[in-house]
Amino acid sequence: QQQVKQSPQSLIVQKGGISIINCAYENTAFDYFPWYQQFPGKGPALLIAIRPDVSEKKEGRFTISFNKSAKQFSLHIMDSQPGDSATYFCAARADSWGKFQFGAGTQVVVTP
Amino acid sequence: NAGVTQTPKFQVLKTGQSMTLQCAQDMNHEYMSWYRQDPGMGLRLIHYSVGAGITDQGEVPNGYNVSRSTTEDFPLRLLSAAPSQTSVYFCASSRINSGANVLTFGAGSRLTVL
């Protein structure tokens, strides 16, 4: 049973468009919510992260929106580029040691 | 800086064989962990360690053993491989930080069990 539910499983967006990936969680003890980006044949790498006392965080074209009451958070990729084509994972930290629960992943394809 | 190094990158085993996936990091990270990645399942934690001599189970520990004799190394042992263990395995490490843990992942080890 996945503690972090991620949707959609895949999405195709045109260059210049907006990609939106959503995640929902149940455990209110989660205290840190990163997003990881993974290119084929590589390990995931941290993209952007947010703490639950903040409702939005923006880094360049990537924005996390966080809704603590709804226990949901989402990644928005603005002005999507072909180089953004990758698999994106949301995650939630279960304890301060660094144990994370990951979502199932979203494969994003940006067409030229 | 090499980061997290995993070997081998690819391995094919027969059912019942044993093997060890190696993981080494050169960042002096206290926390090390093993995940498996399967389609539609995301990354699932197998085992983790918060320092030399300390290990604990994650979500899917059955069929796997770990040990942590040094800060740098965290090998994952498959005792008797089964087809259900066909997967891509990732080792990840981080500093233990109550603020913001950043997991650094290796490039992965793709294992096929026939």
Side-chain angles (χ1 to χ4, degrees):
Chain A
Q1 181 184 351
Q2 274 191 309
Q3 295 191 36
V4 179
K5 290 183 166 48
Q6 183 173 346
S7 62
Q9 197 168 15
S10 63
L11 72 97
I12 300 172
V13 62
Q14 284 192 330
K15 179 181 175 181
I18 302 174
S19 304
I20 301 174
I21 306 169
N22 300 300
C23 285
Y25 64 96
E26 288 298 323
N27 188 346
T28 55
F30 290 150
D31 67 350
Y32 178 64
F33 301 86
W35 285 87
Y36 283 80
Q37 180 188 53
Q38 183 183 32
F39 293 107
K42 305 290 187 183
L46 179 68
L47 181 65
I48 187 173
I50 197 168
R51 296 181 66 85
D53 53 349
V54 175
S55 61
E56 185 174 282
K57 183 172 182 181
K58 183 176 180 179
E59 289 185 2
R61 296 183 293 106
F62 300 91
T63 300
I64 300 178
S65 297
F66 191 87
N67 186 329
K68 189 174 181 179
S69 60
K71 291 184 281 187
Q72 294 176 349
F73 58 112
S74 59
L75 176 69
H76 295 234
I77 307 174
M78 312 300 287
D79 187 27
S80 297
Q81 299 297 311
D84 297 331
S85 296
T87 300
Y88 294 82
F89 293 96
C90 62
R93 188 173 68 179
D95 62 38
S96 61
W97 299 120
K99 283 175 62 179
F100 287 89
Q101 292 285 340
F102 283 83
T106 298
Q107 184 174 16
V108 173
V109 174
V110 182
T111 60
Chain B
N1 237 0
V4 178
T5 303
Q6 289 184 235
T7 56
K9 290 194 187 307
F10 301 94
Q11 183 73 48
V12 178
L13 289 179
K14 293 181 180 177
T15 298
Q17 287 185 318
S18 63
M19 75 156 299
T20 300
L21 299 177
Q22 301 290 346
C23 175
Q25 53 93 7
D26 62 359
M27 298 170 286
N28 205 30
H29 285 172
E30 302 95 339
Y31 181 84
M32 296 187 75
S33 55
W34 278 100
Y35 287 86
R36 60 178 289 174
Q37 182 176 9
D38 302 290
M41 304 290 288
L43 294 153
R44 292 182 292 167
L45 183 64
I46 304 171
H47 284 285
Y48 67 98
S49 168
V50 298
I54 306 169
T55 64
D56 206 347
Q57 296 180 352
E59 299 172 67
V60 289
N62 292 341
Y64 307 95
N65 270 0
V66 292
S67 60
R68 182 108 179 259
S69 56
T70 67
T71 300
E72 295 78 19
D73 300 299
F74 190 47
L76 178 72
R77 296 183 188 85
L78 282 71
L79 307 173
S80 177
S84 61
Q85 293 179 303
T86 293
S87 186
V88 181
Y89 292 85
F90 288 98
C91 180
S93 71
S94 75
R95 297 298 302 271
I96 290 178
N97 185 334
S98 61
N101 302 97
V102 177
L103 283 174
T104 300
F105 283 84
S109 298
R110 182 177 292 275
L111 174 67
T112 301
V113 182
L114 302 176

